[in-house]
Amino acid sequence: MLTHQFNPYSACTSILVGKNATADGSTLIGRNEDSRAAWAKKFVVHPHQEFDEPQLFTSSDADHPFTMTLPKIRAKYTATPEWTAKYGLFEEDGINEYGVAMSATESAYCNARVLAADPYVQDGIGEEAMVTVVLPYIRSAREGVERLGQIVETKGTYETNGILFSDDDEVWYMETGAGHYWVAQRIPDDAYAVVANQLAIQEIDIADHENYLFASGIRDFVVDHDLADTSNGFNFRDVFGTRDLSDQHYNTPRVWDGQRYFTPEVDQDPESFDLPFIQRANRLIHVDEVRHYLASHYEGTPFDPVGSGSDADKHRYRPISLAKTQESHVLQLRPDMPVGRQGIHWLAMGVSAESVYVPFFANVDDTPAAYQVATEKYDPTSAYWIFKLVGVLVDAHYHQLHGRLADVQKELAIQLGHHLIETDAAVAKMTGDQLTTTLTEANAKAAEIALTAMQQLTAELITTSTDLSPLNYNTDLNL
């Protein structure tokens, strides 16, 4: 995520996995939404609505007054909006009633020569509106790319972004470049991709419309403005992207770390500009491994900021999970299930490394009450702040307290995983309103399990921390 009022280097990390690359045949897309250390999020579900007339969307971001007309029918969908709409909605991620998932956005950067030829559009679409005006109106991942692409081409955009789409069959990654141009690539079914704030898509096969989509006239645009010679191929990353020192320390190491985790036999340089976009794992990928990657911070390397490396190494690279993460999500669409129960919206509020991924069924009428409370300052009734408080307490005495947090995270992973299995068994023959009601109740139970454990951990951490004050006096050392 990138919001204009914040540090431009606060941004996200994404992962996409094809159905044949996962252990259970699910498609998986996930992302850490990073903005600032205290910026609360909500988890909501918007109901299916049918209006008599098309609706007008108007952005609440005064700096970028984007507007567009929306269809009369809006599908139900989950989302994670900001605590305030002052700077825009930033709904960020969700799954709709048709079994389509979307995560937006992975902030990226376009080079100056391309922007000179096609400048950003001040009142074009940006991250804050993308989920809201796309996800409720699409019935497949491919259709999501096409809808957003048409908006970018006709109305323009004021920033460069990567957008993730999936259904139970296909996974797509889309990138906007400059004011009106975009490309998208279907992630091969047996592959994965990790992305970290750079334009990532490489060679585009203009003739292959099954696996690549792109703005009309993009090749002519490149040729006409002498941006590249496309006679031997069209590398979108090379033409539209950046290659600077900040990329080597802020961006590429996170891609390196993801590929190191899923494909450890590949020896690569964390500062390389040529890390591949598409990669194959050395095993089938489980959803918990995707969650692990999004919660990681270079463990097992000298670059872990809470590890044993030198001070220089520990602060050399920007980690995947960091204090500015607002929420982290993995959107799972499971195979061979009716659309009413195939979608799981895994959600970790706050810093993913210090939080818990709670599995929420997408086909619900409501979300747990604590997940609907989001405030600028600490609120003990808010799920965001309950998870955030645990992280703050652990950070104060990290090496003394982190082990206990890790124990609780493992315990909750087991409990929540078992709850998911039990719920699947209980609803196997349910349909319609009965299914939706039962899944809504199951989500409330999952939230209760996680929040109760974290509140109990908070009490334990506060109690333990009372004896870790620097004002303590050790009589054994001073007699």
Side-chain angles (χ1 to χ4, degrees):
M1 175 185 180
L2 175 64
T3 52
H4 66 278
Q5 73 273 27
F6 302 137
N7 181 345
Y9 292 104
S10 297
C12 311
T13 307
S14 298
I15 181 168
L16 311 93
V17 190
K19 62 182 180 182
N20 293 340
T22 63
D24 67 349
S26 293
T27 59
L28 299 170
I29 59 174
R31 183 169 58 89
N32 286 353
E33 182 191 357
D34 304 334
S35 177
R36 61 189 296 183
W39 202 250
K41 300 292 293 189
K42 296 182 283 187
F43 176 49
V44 303
V45 58
H46 296 288
H48 179 103
Q49 285 190 284
E50 299 188 14
F51 302 96
D52 293 332
E53 300 293 336
Q55 301 296 293
L56 179 67
F57 174 86
T58 302
S59 174
S60 56
D61 181 357
D63 291 340
H64 302 288
F66 171 74
T67 64
M68 72 171 292
T69 301
L70 300 175
K72 292 188 287 185
I73 298 176
R74 186 189 74 181
K76 179 168 68 174
Y77 68 106
T78 57
T80 61
E82 310 272 67
W83 69 271
T84 176
K86 180 179 179 180
Y87 306 106
L89 295 176
F90 291 96
E91 293 204 297
E92 295 299 310
D93 49 276
I95 301 172
N96 73 18
E97 67 181 78
Y98 307 123
V100 183
M102 177 180 179
S103 179
T105 67
E106 179 71 32
S107 301
Y109 305 93
C110 188
N111 65 63
R113 60 183 177 272
V114 173
L115 287 172
D118 180 32
Y120 290 138
V121 179
Q122 191 74 2
D123 61 351
I125 193 171
E127 172 181 353
E128 68 90 9
M130 286 183 179
V131 166
T132 309
V133 303
V134 175
L135 183 57
Y137 309 105
I138 57 175
R139 292 176 178 264
S140 71
R142 182 184 296 264
E143 190 176 322
V145 173
E146 292 170 340
R147 175 173 173 81
L148 182 54
Q150 190 271 337
I151 295 170
V152 170
E153 287 186 63
T154 58
K155 292 182 172 291
T157 181
Y158 60 84
E159 56 190 7
T160 295
N161 284 307
I163 304 95
L164 300 74
F165 292 97
S166 63
D167 51 41
D168 63 358
D169 186 43
E170 296 187 340
V171 177
W172 283 83
Y173 189 63
M174 175 183 182
E175 293 184 319
T176 64
H180 299 86
Y181 290 94
W182 60 273
V183 299
Q185 182 172 352
R186 181 176 187 253
I187 306 302
D189 292 341
D190 65 344
Y192 72 92
V194 290
V195 189
N197 301 131
Q198 291 173 292
L199 289 177
I201 296 175
Q202 295 173 296
E203 287 294 330
I204 298 294
D205 187 343
I206 299 292
D208 182 0
H209 296 285
E210 288 298 312
N211 297 296
Y212 299 91
L213 296 170
F214 39 84
S216 59
I218 189 170
R219 187 171 183 175
D220 290 341
F221 166 75
V222 169
V223 172
D224 291 347
H225 289 89
D226 298 318
L227 299 173
D229 178 1
T230 63
S231 59
N232 294 317
F234 178 14
N235 188 308
F236 183 74
R237 182 196 296 180
D238 286 350
V239 177
F240 283 75
T242 57
R243 297 169 70 94
D244 56 36
L245 186 62
S246 65
D247 288 325
Q248 291 179 304
H249 288 262
Y250 195 79
N251 301 327
T252 63
R254 285 177 281 153
V255 177
W256 166 81
D257 199 38
Q259 296 187 3
R260 179 182 71 92
Y261 177 61
F262 292 108
T263 317
E265 67 274 15
V266 177
D267 184 19
Q268 299 179 127
D269 183 344
E271 298 184 19
S272 171
F273 286 122
D274 299 315
L275 298 175
F277 172 52
I278 300 298
Q279 187 62 278
R280 268 80 180 177
N282 70 343
R283 61 193 181 277
L284 293 176
I285 297 172
H286 291 266
V287 65
D288 61 297
E289 292 179 297
V290 172
R291 303 196 309 260
H292 170 84
Y293 170 66
L294 292 175
S296 65
H297 41 84
Y298 303 117
E299 294 96 318
T301 78
F303 314 122
D304 184 350
V306 291
S308 57
S310 68
D311 286 343
D313 279 343
K314 287 197 292 185
H315 299 95
R316 188 176 306 279
Y317 301 138
R318 189 268 211 200
I320 291 127
S321 180
L322 79 172
K324 288 182 170 57
T325 303
Q326 296 172 270
E327 56 85 18
S328 179
H329 54 271
V330 178
L331 307 180
Q332 179 181 16
L333 295 170
R334 302 179 297 173
D336 304 321
M337 285 190 179
V339 68
R341 55 189 180 90
Q342 71 179 179
I344 305 294
H345 191 144
W346 295 88
L347 182 60
M349 284 294 193
V351 179
S352 47
E354 299 173 333
S355 185
V356 175
Y357 286 89
V358 181
F360 291 119
F361 289 91
N363 176 27
V364 292
D365 289 328
D366 203 359
T367 56
Y371 281 80
Q372 298 180 40
V373 179
T375 54
E376 183 176 15
K377 295 182 179 180
Y378 172 75
D379 184 329
T381 68
S382 164
Y384 170 87
W385 284 112
I386 289 170
F387 286 107
K388 192 71 179 177
L389 177 57
V390 169
V392 170
L393 292 170
V394 169
D395 285 345
H397 309 285
Y398 187 87
H399 292 289
Q400 294 96 325
L401 300 180
H402 180 264
R404 182 60 187 132
L405 169 60
D407 290 342
V408 173
Q409 288 173 317
K410 182 177 179 179
E411 292 164 7
L412 281 174
I414 293 169
Q415 291 181 52
L416 292 169
H418 185 65
H419 173 68
L420 182 60
I421 292 170
E422 285 191 319
T423 303
D424 275 335
V427 302
K429 297 183 179 180
M430 292 184 188
T431 58
D433 291 344
Q434 182 189 24
L435 173 63
T436 301
T437 299
T438 304
L439 295 181
T440 303
E441 293 170 350
N443 283 1
K445 179 63 176 177
E448 180 187 3
I449 292 170
L451 294 175
T452 298
M454 296 306 274
Q455 288 167 321
Q456 292 173 346
L457 177 60
T458 293
E460 182 182 334
L461 294 174
I462 290 174
T463 304
T464 302
S465 296
T466 60
D467 205 33
L468 299 176
S469 170
L471 295 179
N472 272 339
Y473 183 79
N474 190 333
T475 56
D476 293 336
L477 298 178
N478 293 278
L479 290 177

